[in-house]
Amino acid sequence: MDVPLAHLDRLFDYLVPAEWAETAQPGTRVRVRFAGQLVDGWLLERAEASTHTGRLMYLERLVSPEPALTPEIARLARAIADRYAGSLADVLRLAVPPRHARVEKEATAHQQPHDVDADADADAAPDDATTAARGVGGPSGAAA
């Protein structure tokens, strides 16, 4: 998540709503509730279950169904952050271009349409989750 605190430079688990089971894939930009506020982040991996023993929150919004962060870039960003004492969110902010909705729309026009609203925040978390998501932050256009 795009938070400036170095001690939070780690992965966090969230639930993926059932309606985003196909579109919320590793590398996509998401918004999550963290410490009472909405922050941007990256979905880095999907799992059938989480090892977190506490209560998991749902992803608030799928910002973009287009995977903008490849596993290779994520690993490289982590290595750079570790080597130069930065946070992963800081490195991702510089490594991945900001979101361009027009370009994403053109890219998905050749694929099947997605039922993702990239501009509206969800007020309530959905009731049904299919899998857990693990992710970290970096900006989605302006933030993670």
Side-chain angles (χ1 to χ4, degrees), residues 3-10 87:
V3 290
L5 305 172
H7 69 281
L8 294 176
D9 186 23
R10 60 187 175 91
S87 72

Side-chain angles (χ1 to χ4, degrees), residues 8-143:
L8 294 176
D9 186 23
R10 60 187 175 91
L11 301 180
F12 292 89
D13 293 354
Y14 285 85
L15 295 172
V16 176
E19 68 257 22
W20 297 338
E22 296 298 318
T23 54
Q25 295 301 316
T28 57
R29 300 170 197 256
V30 295
R31 288 195 47 94
V32 297
R33 190 155 302 278
F34 188 80
Q37 54 187 331
L38 286 176
V39 295
D40 294 323
W42 294 98
L43 193 151
L44 294 180
E45 60 185 68
R46 297 277 303 262
E48 289 298 319
S50 172
T51 57
H52 179 69
T53 57
R55 186 174 145 245
L56 293 178
M57 301 291 291
Y58 284 94
L59 297 176
E60 288 285 329
R61 182 172 67 149
L62 179 61
V63 174
S64 171
E66 291 299 316
L69 180 63
T70 65
E72 296 81 14
I73 297 297
R75 282 192 299 274
L76 179 60
R78 177 78 268 166
I80 291 170
D82 292 344
R83 168 83 175 175
Y84 297 102
S87 72
L88 181 57
D90 289 340
V91 175
L92 289 175
R93 187 177 307 111
L94 297 171
V96 180
R99 178 174 177 257
H100 293 285
R102 185 180 104 272
V103 174
E104 291 174 5
K105 191 173 191 176
E106 290 170 1
T108 56
H110 301 296
Q111 301 171 1
Q112 61 180 341
H114 296 288
D115 188 22
V116 175
D117 184 4
D119 296 322
D121 284 325
D123 292 336
D127 295 330
D128 190 20
T130 58
T131 58
R134 175 168 276 185
V136 71
S140 322

